[in-house]
Amino acid sequence: MSSIIRQRYPLLADELNLVFAKLKGKEGFWGIDLVAESQDIKIRVIVSGNNNDTTEENKKNLANLLDSQKYIVWKLMPMIHFNKTVNFPKENPNQSKVFSVIQPCINIGDGHNRGTLGLICIDVTTNKVSLLTAHHVVSNGQFVIQPSDKSNIVFAIARFKRYDPNGDAALCELIVPQLNQIFAKRQIVNNIIAFKNELFETNIIIQDVRYPVLGEKVTKIGLATGKTDAIVRGIGIYKHSQDHIIEGRIAWVEGCWLEPEDIQNKNDLEISFQGDSGAVWFDSTQKFGIGLQIAGDFNESLPTQEFAIAQHLPDIMETLQIKPFI
């Protein structure tokens, strides 16, 4: 478990690790985190199933494995899904156009997958300008292309360099030399004139990264849902499909659980959708990035079941040996 939990909540860290060890690998167990509940910090167990009946059955079976439920609250979810295929709810056409000036929050992909450019970074091992996004957005190709669509001509903006084996983040080196190659039966050229680090259609620059704080309000600008706000509901560890690395592989990713500000979500706000992957969630000061969008709820979920999962940005920066470009 992340050291941030032990630093902030030392009295609950051992208990959380114990509960995680007992439930890991059990049917229906999808995550464990710390949440603010009735003015206390408590351990929350996230349970999932194919339908309401199986979810309830999974909760019952998991509860029987625990010696005490003194600190436990439960979150029941439908089957968590990471690859939605319906139309984007708030797609901004300007965000998906061809860009000669590359910047965070625009559309990128690998010819098969589509997502959001998270940050312009510096690779501290080479001192070269690089791009950060979710690994599953760029895992199927050597080149990162923009826009990632079905047109005959696309533009290569970066080369895939490395990924985070403990999560779902990838580093891609910005391409400078001119390209003219064939990729997936499409002509690839390099159309880059320049890059900038202001988030798309804003003057916001992510200057540094930090861990999230329970209850804080954060924002992201994703390709699918545009600019959305959310509350950091939980900080913990969550089950995540890593089929983009090895087919059928499941990993546990440390990060935060985000939900709409209105706990009832009466306006049916979408904060997470396919295409948002790779976007960076940032704090209210608009200076610190706190997480990289990697997953979210099933597209048929009820409004009260809307959520997003973001991997901790400080962990990503350390593992990939990068820093924000300022």
Side-chain angles (χ1 to χ4, degrees):
M1 188 61 61
S2 172
S3 60
I4 191 62
I5 290 180
R6 187 164 295 280
Q7 290 172 13
R8 291 182 183 171
Y9 311 103
L11 298 180
L12 284 175
D14 288 339
E15 181 78 10
L16 187 145
N17 285 333
L18 180 63
V19 174
F20 177 72
K22 288 183 177 181
L23 301 185
K24 184 179 179 181
K26 300 299 188 294
E27 185 70 25
F29 176 54
W30 276 84
I32 187 168
D33 55 15
L34 297 182
V35 296
E37 189 82 7
S38 301
Q39 298 184 338
D40 292 323
I41 304 298
K42 295 186 177 181
I43 295 171
R44 179 178 65 167
V45 176
I46 300 165
V47 186
S48 185
N50 290 321
N51 52 52
N52 290 336
D53 289 341
T54 57
T55 301
E56 288 286 352
E57 182 66 22
N58 288 338
K59 175 192 171 182
K60 179 180 177 181
N61 293 336
L62 293 175
N64 289 335
L65 298 174
L66 302 180
D67 297 329
S68 169
Q69 296 186 40
K70 179 179 179 181
Y71 301 106
I72 304 297
V73 295
W74 298 89
K75 178 74 171 180
L76 305 185
M77 301 294 296
M79 182 59 71
I80 296 173
H81 202 268
F82 304 97
N83 298 304
K84 305 171 186 178
T85 57
V86 297
N87 293 330
F88 292 0
K90 287 172 57 180
E91 181 174 6
N92 181 348
N94 291 332
Q95 216 166 334
S96 298
K97 68 182 183 182
V98 176
F99 287 86
S100 58
V101 178
I102 302 303
Q103 65 181 123
C105 308
I106 67 172
N107 164 24
I108 62 172
D110 59 12
H112 303 277
N113 303 298
R114 188 183 190 196
T116 303
L117 195 166
L119 286 179
I120 307 293
C121 297
I122 294 293
D123 181 347
V124 299
T125 68
T126 63
N127 208 34
K128 292 184 177 180
V129 179
S130 302
L131 314 178
L132 175 67
T133 189
H135 183 205
H136 69 263
V137 170
V138 295
S139 61
N140 284 321
Q142 177 185 359
F143 296 116
V144 177
I145 61 176
Q146 194 285 316
S148 182
D149 58 20
K150 297 181 180 180
S151 61
N152 290 324
I153 297 180
V154 293
F155 299 97
I157 63 171
R159 294 181 187 272
F160 176 83
K161 294 297 291 185
R162 56 185 180 270
Y163 70 91
D164 179 2
N166 300 314
D168 190 2
L171 181 69
C172 307
E173 186 178 297
L174 195 69
I175 293 174
V176 177
Q178 186 77 11
L179 286 180
N180 187 3
Q181 302 185 30
I182 300 298
F183 174 69
K185 298 183 179 179
R186 290 180 288 179
Q187 185 181 12
I188 291 188
V189 295
N190 183 357
N191 193 45
I192 295 176
I193 296 174
F195 63 90
K196 60 181 181 179
N197 52 1
E198 292 91 348
L199 306 189
F200 179 71
E201 292 188 338
T202 76
N203 60 359
I204 299 170
I205 296 175
I206 303 302
Q207 299 178 18
D208 205 347
V209 300
R210 66 165 173 82
Y211 287 102
V213 176
L214 281 177
E216 75 171 315
K217 181 178 176 179
V218 293
T219 304
K220 68 121 178 50
I221 303 174
L223 180 64
T225 57
K227 187 175 182 179
T228 53
D229 296 325
I231 296 296
V232 178
R233 170 62 169 160
I235 298 176
I237 184 167
Y238 308 100
K239 195 174 185 179
H240 185 51
S241 170
Q242 290 190 320
D243 289 344
H244 52 285
I245 300 176
I246 300 175
E247 185 175 356
R249 176 180 172 183
I250 296 294
W252 293 93
V253 178
E254 296 186 19
C256 59
W257 181 283
L258 305 155
E259 295 180 358
E261 292 183 82
D262 173 16
I263 195 168
Q264 298 300 320
N265 198 16
K266 290 185 285 291
N267 293 325
D268 197 10
L269 175 68
E270 289 282 351
I271 65 169
S272 173
F273 219 81
Q274 183 187 28
D276 286 338
S277 293
V280 165
W281 289 90
F282 54 91
D283 72 351
S284 59
T285 70
Q286 300 184 340
K287 296 180 180 180
F288 291 91
I290 63 99
L292 186 76
Q293 170 81 20
I294 60 171
D297 63 287
F298 200 32
N299 55 293
E300 285 91 10
S301 298
L302 297 173
T304 54
Q305 296 169 329
E306 179 69 28
F307 73 94
I309 295 175
Q311 185 180 350
H312 291 317
L313 267 177
D315 294 344
I316 291 172
M317 294 285 166
E318 181 178 359
T319 300
L320 292 181
Q321 295 182 281
I322 55 178
K323 63 182 179 180
F325 177 86
I326 304 299

